[in-house]
Amino acid sequence: MSKNNKNQNDVEEQIKEVKEDKVQDEETDKLKQELEEWKDKIHYKGRMGSLKETAQFGDVLVLAVKGTAAKEVLQIIGEGNIEGKTIIDVTNPIADAPPDNGVLRFFTTLERSLMEELQSDFPKAHFVKAFNSIGNAFMVNP
C-alpha cells in the first residue's frame, strides 16, 4: 500500500469514527492533556474545543484539510454551525491518483472549482480562497 493510500485510508477512517461517535475517550483525553500541557508551557490563554464547538465559537474559520475531505468535514461540523461565517478555504482539489508525468491530478473540472462546489453545498457560509498556492516548505519554519 502506498503512503498516499494509507493516508487517505487513515483520513477516511477518522471521518467514519467521528460520524459514528466512536472516537475513543482515552485517546481524546490524552490529546486534551497534551494540549493543556502545551497551553501551560507557552502561557496560552485561548480556548480549545471540538470541530463543532470551534465552528460555533469562531467568526472566521480556516478550512485546512485534504481537499477530498472538505465537504465531509463541513457536513460533520453542520451547516447551521457555519451559517453566516467567513471560511478561509486553503484546500486544493488534488486527486488521490498519482501524478501523470509529474503533473498533479484534480478531482474537479476546469469549469467548477472545489470552492464553488463548497459554496453551492453550503450557501449560507461565506467562502474565501487563500494560502492554497503556497508550498508547505514556506509554511513550517519559514
Side-chain angles (χ1 to χ4, degrees), residues 60-74:
V60 177
L61 309 174
V62 178
L63 181 62
V65 299
K66 186 174 181 179
T68 54
K71 286 183 188 180
E72 199 160 6
V73 167
L74 292 171

Side-chain angles (χ1 to χ4, degrees), residues 14 23 28 34 44 74 91-92 97 134 137:
Q14 289 172 0
V23 178
T28 302
E34 289 173 2
Y44 184 72
L74 292 171
T91 64
N92 282 309
I134 299 172

Side-chain angles (χ1 to χ4, degrees), residues 32-61:
K32 285 180 182 178
Q33 180 62 35
E34 289 173 2
L35 288 171
E36 288 296 333
E37 289 170 6
W38 173 76
K39 278 176 54 176
D40 292 342
K41 180 179 177 182
I42 65 166
H43 307 292
Y44 184 72
K45 303 286 187 221
R47 297 193 295 174
M48 294 182 285
S50 69
L51 290 174
K52 287 180 182 179
E53 292 166 337
T54 302
Q56 291 167 348
F57 175 79
D59 294 321
V60 177
L61 309 174

Side-chain angles (χ1 to χ4, degrees), residues 88-137:
I88 300 172
D89 173 19
V90 303
T91 64
N92 282 309
I94 299 172
D96 291 328
D100 186 16
N101 291 322
V103 178
L104 293 173
R105 297 182 190 193
F106 296 101
F107 62 84
T108 57
T109 66
L110 295 175
E111 288 77 32
R112 190 171 168 106
S113 71
L114 176 57
M115 191 176 88
E116 288 172 310
E117 290 182 18
L118 295 174
Q119 187 65 78
S120 177
D121 290 348
F122 303 94
K124 295 181 180 178
H126 310 290
F127 288 88
V128 178
K129 194 69 162 172
F131 310 121
N132 67 311
S133 60
I134 299 172
N136 66 344

